[in-house]
Amino acid sequence: MSTQVLTRRLTQGDLAKLYAAGEKVVMFTAYDAIFARLLDGAGVECLLIGDSLGNVIQGHDSTLPVTVADIAYHTAAVKRGCNQPFIVADMPFGSYQESPQQAFASA
């Protein structure tokens, strides 16, 4: 929250307040603790762990091979690297399409 210093992680409520106040919210993609720490220090409000890690980190030609376990691993690393940003993690292809029950179990 750009006008005040927080000592805790941002919440959905904090983001809603920023939106309501017409403030811009910055979101970056991060895959590891080091980059998360840098972005946290820069005041980035949201970090996304995207299934693009299949291309960027794992060297795949697409995001299709990315698993829930891959996303969980990188989400944990990002969380360890930062204190304030709200963290958003993708649900990779195939982890939610089958049914609401599958989506719930994957989440």
Side-chain angles (χ1 to χ4, degrees):
M1 306 198 39
S2 58
T3 58
Q4 70 185 80
V5 177
L6 293 178
T7 57
R8 60 171 173 77
R9 190 163 310 278
L10 288 167
T11 66
Q12 287 177 307
D14 295 325
L15 297 177
K17 288 176 188 172
L18 287 170
Y19 179 79
E23 295 205 33
K24 296 190 188 267
V25 174
V26 177
M27 177 181 274
F28 268 89
T29 300
Y31 306 112
D32 58 41
I34 299 289
F35 204 61
R37 185 168 296 126
L38 288 170
L39 294 170
D40 188 10
V44 171
E45 289 90 1
C46 297
L47 296 179
L48 169 68
I49 298 82
D51 61 358
S52 56
L53 71 87
N55 305 91
V56 177
I57 302 297
Q58 297 173 334
H60 295 294
D61 291 335
S62 77
T63 61
L64 294 178
V66 176
T67 66
V68 172
D70 294 333
I71 295 289
Y73 171 88
H74 287 276
T75 300
V78 166
K79 183 180 180 296
R80 287 190 298 270
C82 64
N83 295 314
Q84 186 171 334
F86 184 78
I87 297 173
V88 178
D90 274 353
M91 291 182 64
F93 183 79
S95 68
Y96 58 89
Q97 289 88 347
E98 187 178 293
S99 67
Q101 292 78 15
Q102 181 199 28
F104 185 77
S106 295

